[in-house]
Amino acid sequence: MKLSEKVALVTGASRGIGRATALKLAEEGAKVAINFAGNVKKAEEVKSEIESKGGEALLVQGDISNFEKVSEVIKTVVDTWGKIDILVNNAGITRDNLLMKMSESDFDEVIATNLKGVFNCTKAVTRLMMKQHSGRIVNMSSVVGLMGNAGQTNYSAAKAGIIGFTKSAAKEFAPRGITVNAVAPGFICTDMTETIPEKIKTGLIEKIPLGRIGNPEDIANTVLFLVSDEAAYITGQVICVDGGMAM
Ligand code: NAP
C-alpha cells in the first residue's frame, strides 16, 4: 500500500472525481476525510464503500468558500486523526453562460468556490504541513484554464487562477518539503458534464485524440501518483489528463 499511515482530506468527495479520488487513496491505505457541500446521502455512500473494504473514513461537511467553515473542517480532521498529510482541492461548480448574459453572482459564486476555496483549504493546512516538514497538495484545475471556453469565462478564470496559485504555493512550500501540483482534467464523465447536450458531447469527443470521454478514475490515478512517494521530486506542475485534448 502506497499511503498507509497517511491522512488525506479530499474536498468535494461525495461525487464524481472527488469520490473516485477518495476511494483510490483509501484503497492505498490512507485515512480519508470526505468533504462535501450538502449531499449527505452521497457522502455517506462513499464512507460506507471505504469502510466495507476495511478502510477508515470521516465525513466533514462544509462549504469550502467559507474560511471559518474550512477551519472547522480542518480542526475536525486533526482532532480525529492528529494530522493531514494530503490535501486534494477538488470541489468545484459551474455557472455557465455567455459573458453578455452572465450575472455578477454567477461570476462571484464560481470564483468563491473554485478559486477562493483552494486558498481557504490550502491556507488552513499550511501551518500543519510546515510543522511536519512534509505534505502533498493537489489542486483540480481544468484544460479550460489553459485553453479557455466560450460560456465559461468565470470557470476558466478560476481554473487559470488555480494554476498561478499552484506555482506560487509550490515555490513558497518547497523549502519545507511540501509539493503542490495541479491536475487539469479534460472532458470527464460526472454529474458536472451530464447535462451537456448529446450533440455537443459528440463534437467534444471528436476533438479528443484518444477518442473517448475520461472516467473519474483516470483523474484519481494521477492524483494518487502525485501524492505518492514516487512523485517526491515533482512540484509546481500542471498535469493534463485529457486524452490529448489540450495539446
Ligand atoms: P461534480 O460531480 O459536480 O461534484 C462536485 C463535488 O464538489 C461534489 O462532491 C460537491 O458536493 C462538491 N462541492 C461543490 N461545491 C462545494 C462547496 N462549496 N464546498 C464543498 N464541496 C462542494 O464535479 P466533478 O465533475 O467531479 O468535478 C470535480 C472537480 O474537477 C471540479 O473542480 C471541476 O471543476 C473539475 N473538473 C471537472 C471536469 C469534468 O469534465 N467533470 C473537467 C475539468 C475539471 P455535494 O455533493 O454536496 O454537492
Side-chain angles (χ1 to χ4, degrees), residues 104-124:
E104 191 183 355
S105 65
D106 285 343
F107 189 83
D108 289 345
E109 276 177 46
V110 168
I111 298 295
T113 301
N114 296 12
L115 183 57
K116 184 159 179 272
V118 173
F119 163 81
N120 288 342
C121 298
T122 307
K123 186 171 166 63

Side-chain angles (χ1 to χ4, degrees), residues 11-18 35-39 42 62-65 90-93 113-114 140-143 155 159 185-193:
T11 69
S14 50
R15 294 182 283 124
I17 292 169
N35 162 259
F36 59 104
N39 210 327
K42 288 284 174 192
D63 177 0
I64 56 152
S65 69
N90 165 77
I93 57 168
T113 301
N114 296 12
M140 210 51 74
S141 179
S142 166
V143 291
Y155 185 82
K159 295 301 183 182
F187 181 20
I188 310 299
C189 179
T190 68
D191 292 349
M192 189 177 271
T193 50

Side-chain angles (χ1 to χ4, degrees), residues 85-96:
D85 302 294
I86 296 162
L87 168 66
V88 184
N89 281 313
N90 165 77
I93 57 168
T94 50
R95 298 283 184 271
D96 298 351

